[in-house]
Amino acid sequence: MSFDLAVLAMAGSADHRQACARYERCRSASHDEGASEPGIDSFCRELRTWFPDRPSFSDDTPWADTPPRVGSDHVIMRLRYGTAGDLAAERIGDLAWHHGLVLFDPQFGEAFFPTPDGWQGPVDCGGRAACALRVKST
């Protein structure tokens, strides 16, 4: 079993609806790529030092699928349930906050926004299904 997490490069004034919309757009085949966001590049470099996403893997790898899906404004990761995945999720949150990236949990449709004092959130957009419905109505 596995779960997904995403980090999204978004403007400081972004809200939960925009985070849901960005995640849905990043998952789609019609995602436009532009210049890579510096926060995304730095996040990926640091993440790979903690959790390599290329073979050969140790038995305690957190990855359920590799490599993570990286775009110019997002990283979508599939993690294994269990201790390794839990530890990786915590580290992913720390790195996302450090780089000013939004942390998005698609299982629950929750967005966490970085602030100088920590995370604002979770901000619930009504679950993943409701999030997708809102995106389509925008």
Side-chain angles (χ1 to χ4, degrees), residues 22-72:
R22 172 70 55 90
Y23 175 76
E24 292 298 327
R25 185 177 59 84
C26 292
R27 289 183 55 238
S28 76
S30 62
H31 184 287
D32 294 329
E33 289 294 334
S36 188
E37 297 283 338
I40 294 293
D41 289 341
S42 299
F43 172 88
C44 286
R45 273 193 306 278
E46 288 186 49
L47 182 66
R48 286 182 177 125
T49 63
W50 284 95
F51 307 106
D53 61 5
R54 307 278 190 245
S56 70
F57 300 112
S58 64
D59 290 338
D60 62 346
T61 184
W63 304 119
D65 190 23
T66 59
R69 291 180 50 198
V70 178
S72 61

Coordinates of all heavy atoms in Angstrom, one line a residue, residues 22-72:
R22 N -3.8 23.4 -8.7 CA -2.5 23.2 -9.2 C -2.1 21.7 -9.2 O -1.6 21.2 -10.1 CB -1.5 24.0 -8.3 CG 0.0 23.7 -8.5 CD 0.5 24.3 -9.8 NE 0.3 25.7 -10.0 CZ 1.1 26.6 -9.6 NH1 2.2 26.4 -9.0 NH2 0.8 27.9 -9.8
Y23 N -2.5 21.0 -8.1 CA -2.2 19.6 -8.1 C -2.9 18.9 -9.2 O -2.3 18.0 -9.9 CB -2.7 19.0 -6.7 CG -2.5 17.5 -6.6 CD1 -1.3 16.9 -6.5 CD2 -3.6 16.7 -6.8 CE1 -1.1 15.6 -6.5 CE2 -3.5 15.3 -6.7 CZ -2.2 14.8 -6.6 OH -2.1 13.4 -6.6
E24 N -4.2 19.1 -9.4 CA -4.9 18.5 -10.5 C -4.3 18.8 -11.9 O -4.2 17.9 -12.7 CB -6.4 18.9 -10.5 CG -7.2 18.4 -9.3 CD -7.2 16.9 -9.2 OE1 -7.2 16.2 -10.3 OE2 -7.2 16.4 -8.1
R25 N -3.9 20.0 -12.1 CA -3.2 20.4 -13.3 C -1.9 19.7 -13.5 O -1.5 19.2 -14.6 CB -3.0 21.9 -13.4 CG -2.4 22.4 -14.7 CD -2.3 23.9 -14.8 NE -1.4 24.4 -13.7 CZ -0.1 24.5 -13.8 NH1 0.5 24.1 -14.8 NH2 0.6 25.0 -12.8
C26 N -1.1 19.6 -12.4 CA 0.2 18.9 -12.4 C 0.0 17.4 -12.7 O 0.9 16.8 -13.3 CB 0.9 19.1 -11.1 SG 1.5 20.8 -10.9
R27 N -1.1 16.8 -12.3 CA -1.3 15.4 -12.6 C -1.7 15.1 -14.0 O -1.6 14.0 -14.5 CB -2.4 14.9 -11.7 CG -2.1 14.7 -10.2 CD -3.2 14.2 -9.4 NE -3.7 12.9 -9.9 CZ -4.9 12.7 -10.3 NH1 -5.8 13.6 -10.2 NH2 -5.3 11.5 -10.8
S28 N -2.2 16.2 -14.7 CA -2.8 16.0 -16.0 C -1.7 15.9 -17.1 O -0.6 16.4 -16.9 CB -3.8 17.1 -16.3 OG -3.1 18.3 -16.7
A29 N -2.1 15.3 -18.2 CA -1.2 15.2 -19.3 C -1.0 16.5 -20.0 O -0.1 16.7 -20.8 CB -1.7 14.1 -20.3
S30 N -1.9 17.5 -19.7 CA -1.8 18.8 -20.4 C -1.1 19.8 -19.6 O -1.2 21.0 -19.9 CB -3.2 19.3 -20.7 OG -3.9 19.5 -19.5
H31 N -0.3 19.4 -18.7 CA 0.5 20.3 -17.8 C 1.6 21.0 -18.7 O 2.4 20.3 -19.3 CB 1.1 19.6 -16.7 CG 1.9 20.4 -15.7 ND1 3.1 21.0 -16.0 CD2 1.6 20.8 -14.5 CE1 3.5 21.7 -15.0 NE2 2.6 21.6 -14.0
D32 N 1.5 22.3 -18.7 CA 2.6 23.1 -19.4 C 3.8 23.2 -18.6 O 3.7 23.5 -17.4 CB 2.1 24.5 -19.8 CG 0.9 24.5 -20.7 OD1 0.9 23.5 -21.6 OD2 0.1 25.4 -20.7
E33 N 4.9 23.0 -19.1 CA 6.2 23.2 -18.4 C 6.8 24.5 -18.8 O 6.8 24.9 -20.0 CB 7.1 22.0 -18.7 CG 6.7 20.7 -18.1 CD 6.7 20.7 -16.6 OE1 7.5 21.4 -16.0 OE2 5.9 19.9 -16.1
G34 N 7.4 25.1 -17.8 CA 8.1 26.4 -18.0 C 9.5 26.2 -17.4 O 9.9 25.1 -17.1
A35 N 10.0 27.4 -17.1 CA 11.3 27.3 -16.4 C 11.1 26.8 -15.0 O 10.1 27.0 -14.3 CB 11.9 28.7 -16.3
S36 N 12.0 26.0 -14.5 CA 11.9 25.3 -13.2 C 12.0 26.3 -12.1 O 12.9 27.2 -12.1 CB 13.0 24.2 -13.1 OG 12.8 23.5 -12.0
E37 N 11.2 26.2 -11.1 CA 11.2 27.0 -9.9 C 12.4 26.7 -9.1 O 12.7 25.5 -8.8 CB 9.9 26.8 -9.1 CG 8.6 27.2 -9.8 CD 8.4 28.7 -9.8 OE1 9.0 29.4 -9.0 OE2 7.7 29.1 -10.7
P38 N 13.1 27.7 -8.6 CA 14.3 27.4 -7.8 C 14.0 26.5 -6.6 O 14.8 25.7 -6.2 CB 14.8 28.8 -7.4 CG 14.2 29.7 -8.4 CD 13.0 29.1 -8.9
G39 N 12.9 26.8 -5.9 CA 12.5 26.0 -4.7 C 12.4 24.5 -5.1 O 12.7 23.7 -4.3
I40 N 11.8 24.2 -6.2 CA 11.6 22.8 -6.6 C 13.0 22.2 -6.9 O 13.2 21.1 -6.4 CB 10.7 22.7 -7.9 CG1 9.3 23.2 -7.6 CG2 10.8 21.3 -8.5 CD1 8.5 22.3 -6.7
D41 N 13.9 22.9 -7.6 CA 15.2 22.3 -7.8 C 16.0 22.0 -6.5 O 16.5 20.9 -6.4 CB 16.0 23.2 -8.7 CG 15.6 23.3 -10.1 OD1 14.9 22.4 -10.6 OD2 15.9 24.3 -10.8
S42 N 15.9 23.0 -5.6 CA 16.6 22.8 -4.3 C 16.0 21.7 -3.5 O 16.7 20.9 -2.9 CB 16.6 24.1 -3.6 OG 17.3 25.1 -4.3
F43 N 14.7 21.7 -3.5 CA 14.0 20.6 -2.8 C 14.4 19.2 -3.3 O 14.7 18.3 -2.5 CB 12.5 20.8 -2.9 CG 11.6 19.7 -2.4 CD1 11.3 19.7 -1.0 CD2 11.3 18.6 -3.2 CE1 10.5 18.6 -0.5 CE2 10.5 17.6 -2.7 CZ 10.1 17.6 -1.3
C44 N 14.4 19.1 -4.6 CA 14.7 17.7 -5.2 C 16.2 17.3 -4.9 O 16.4 16.2 -4.5 CB 14.5 17.8 -6.7 SG 12.8 17.7 -7.2
R45 N 17.1 18.3 -5.0 CA 18.5 18.0 -4.6 C 18.6 17.5 -3.2 O 19.3 16.4 -2.9 CB 19.4 19.2 -4.9 CG 19.9 19.3 -6.3 CD 21.0 20.3 -6.4 NE 20.7 21.7 -5.8 CZ 20.0 22.6 -6.5 NH1 19.6 22.4 -7.7 NH2 19.8 23.8 -5.9
E46 N 18.0 18.2 -2.3 CA 18.1 17.8 -0.9 C 17.4 16.5 -0.6 O 17.8 15.7 0.2 CB 17.6 18.9 0.0 CG 18.6 20.1 0.1 CD 18.1 21.2 1.0 OE1 17.8 20.8 2.2 OE2 18.1 22.3 0.7
L47 N 16.2 16.4 -1.2 CA 15.4 15.1 -1.0 C 16.2 13.9 -1.4 O 16.2 12.9 -0.7 CB 14.1 15.2 -1.7 CG 13.2 14.0 -1.6 CD1 12.7 13.9 -0.1 CD2 12.0 14.1 -2.5
R48 N 16.9 14.0 -2.5 CA 17.6 12.9 -3.1 C 18.9 12.5 -2.2 O 19.3 11.4 -2.2 CB 18.0 13.1 -4.5 CG 16.9 13.0 -5.4 CD 17.2 13.2 -6.9 NE 16.0 13.0 -7.7 CZ 15.6 13.9 -8.6 NH1 16.2 15.0 -8.7 NH2 14.5 13.6 -9.3
T49 N 19.4 13.5 -1.5 CA 20.5 13.2 -0.6 C 20.0 12.4 0.6 O 20.7 11.5 1.1 CB 21.2 14.4 0.0 OG1 20.4 15.2 0.7 CG2 21.8 15.2 -1.2
W50 N 18.7 12.6 1.0 CA 18.1 11.9 2.1 C 17.6 10.5 1.7 O 17.7 9.5 2.4 CB 17.0 12.7 2.8 CG 17.5 13.8 3.7 CD1 17.7 15.1 3.3 CD2 17.9 13.6 5.0 NE1 18.1 15.8 4.4 CE2 18.3 14.9 5.4 CE3 17.9 12.6 5.9 CZ2 18.7 15.2 6.7 CZ3 18.4 12.8 7.2 CH2 18.8 14.1 7.6
F51 N 16.9 10.5 0.5 CA 16.2 9.4 0.0 C 16.5 9.2 -1.5 O 15.7 9.7 -2.3 CB 14.7 9.5 0.3 CG 14.3 9.8 1.7 CD1 13.9 11.1 2.0 CD2 14.5 8.8 2.7 CE1 13.6 11.4 3.3 CE2 14.2 9.1 4.0 CZ 13.7 10.4 4.3
P52 N 17.6 8.5 -1.8 CA 17.9 8.3 -3.2 C 16.7 7.7 -4.0 O 16.0 6.8 -3.4 CB 19.1 7.4 -3.2 CG 19.7 7.6 -1.9 CD 18.5 7.9 -0.9
D53 N 16.4 8.1 -5.2 CA 15.3 7.6 -5.9 C 15.7 6.8 -7.2 O 15.0 6.6 -8.1 CB 14.3 8.7 -6.3 CG 14.9 9.8 -7.2 OD1 16.1 9.6 -7.6 OD2 14.2 10.8 -7.4
R54 N 17.0 6.4 -7.2 CA 17.5 5.6 -8.2 C 18.0 4.3 -7.7 O 18.5 4.2 -6.5 CB 18.6 6.3 -9.0 CG 18.3 7.7 -9.4 CD 17.6 7.6 -10.8 NE 17.5 9.0 -11.3 CZ 16.3 9.6 -11.5 NH1 15.2 9.1 -11.2 NH2 16.3 10.8 -12.1
P55 N 17.9 3.2 -8.4 CA 18.4 1.9 -7.9 C 19.9 2.0 -7.6 O 20.6 2.8 -8.1 CB 18.2 0.9 -9.1 CG 17.2 1.6 -9.9 CD 17.3 3.1 -9.7
S56 N 20.4 1.3 -6.7 CA 19.9 0.3 -5.9 C 19.3 0.8 -4.6 O 20.0 1.6 -3.9 CB 20.9 -0.8 -5.6 OG 21.9 -0.4 -4.7
F57 N 18.2 0.3 -4.2 CA 17.5 0.7 -3.0 C 17.8 -0.2 -1.8 O 18.0 -1.4 -2.0 CB 16.0 0.7 -3.2 CG 15.6 1.6 -4.3 CD1 15.0 1.1 -5.5 CD2 15.7 3.0 -4.2 CE1 14.6 1.9 -6.5 CE2 15.3 3.8 -5.2 CZ 14.7 3.3 -6.4
S58 N 17.8 0.4 -0.7 CA 17.9 -0.5 0.5 C 16.5 -1.0 0.9 O 15.5 -0.5 0.3 CB 18.5 0.4 1.7 OG 17.6 1.4 2.0
D59 N 16.4 -1.9 1.8 CA 15.1 -2.5 2.2 C 14.2 -1.4 2.9 O 13.0 -1.6 2.9 CB 15.3 -3.6 3.1 CG 15.9 -4.8 2.4 OD1 15.8 -4.9 1.2 OD2 16.5 -5.7 3.1
D60 N 14.8 -0.4 3.4 CA 14.0 0.6 4.1 C 13.7 1.9 3.3 O 13.5 2.9 3.8 CB 14.7 1.0 5.4 CG 16.1 1.7 5.2 OD1 16.6 1.6 4.1 OD2 16.6 2.3 6.2
T61 N 13.7 1.7 1.9 CA 13.4 2.8 1.1 C 11.9 3.3 1.3 O 11.1 2.4 1.5 CB 13.6 2.5 -0.4 OG1 13.3 3.7 -1.2 CG2 12.7 1.4 -0.9
P62 N 11.7 4.6 1.3 CA 10.3 5.0 1.5 C 9.5 5.0 0.2 O 8.3 5.1 0.2 CB 10.5 6.5 2.0 CG 11.7 6.9 1.3 CD 12.6 5.7 1.3
W63 N 10.2 4.8 -0.9 CA 9.5 5.0 -2.2 C 8.7 3.7 -2.6 O 9.2 2.6 -2.6 CB 10.5 5.2 -3.3 CG 11.4 6.4 -3.1 CD1 12.7 6.4 -2.9 CD2 11.0 7.8 -2.9 NE1 13.2 7.7 -2.7 CE2 12.1 8.5 -2.6 CE3 9.7 8.4 -2.9 CZ2 12.0 9.9 -2.4 CZ3 9.7 9.8 -2.7 CH2 10.8 10.5 -2.4
A64 N 7.4 4.0 -3.0 CA 6.6 2.9 -3.5 C 6.7 2.9 -5.0 O 6.4 2.0 -5.7 CB 5.1 3.1 -3.1
D65 N 7.1 4.1 -5.6 CA 7.3 4.2 -7.0 C 8.4 5.3 -7.2 O 8.4 6.3 -6.5 CB 5.9 4.7 -7.7 CG 5.9 4.7 -9.2 OD1 6.7 3.9 -9.7 OD2 5.2 5.4 -9.8
T66 N 9.2 5.0 -8.2 CA 10.3 5.9 -8.5 C 10.5 6.1 -10.0 O 10.1 5.2 -10.7 CB 11.7 5.4 -7.9 OG1 12.0 4.2 -8.5 CG2 11.6 5.3 -6.4
P67 N 11.1 7.2 -10.4 CA 11.4 8.3 -9.5 C 10.1 9.2 -9.3 O 9.1 9.0 -10.0 CB 12.4 9.1 -10.4 CG 12.0 8.8 -11.8 CD 11.5 7.4 -11.8
P68 N 10.2 10.1 -8.3 CA 9.1 11.0 -8.2 C 8.8 11.8 -9.5 O 9.7 12.0 -10.2 CB 9.5 12.0 -7.0 CG 10.6 11.2 -6.3 CD 11.2 10.3 -7.4
R69 N 7.6 12.2 -9.6 CA 7.2 13.0 -10.8 C 7.6 14.4 -10.5 O 7.0 15.1 -9.7 CB 5.7 12.9 -11.1 CG 5.3 11.5 -11.6 CD 3.9 11.4 -11.9 NE 3.4 12.5 -12.7 CZ 2.1 12.8 -12.9 NH1 1.2 12.2 -12.2 NH2 1.8 13.8 -13.7
V70 N 8.6 14.9 -11.3 CA 9.1 16.3 -11.1 C 8.7 17.1 -12.3 O 9.0 16.8 -13.4 CB 10.6 16.3 -10.9 CG1 11.1 17.7 -10.7 CG2 11.0 15.4 -9.7
G71 N 8.1 18.3 -12.0 CA 7.8 19.3 -13.0 C 8.4 20.6 -12.6 O 9.1 20.7 -11.6
S72 N 8.2 21.6 -13.5 CA 8.8 22.9 -13.2 C 8.3 23.5 -11.9 O 9.0 24.3 -11.3 CB 8.6 23.8 -14.4 OG 7.2 24.0 -14.6

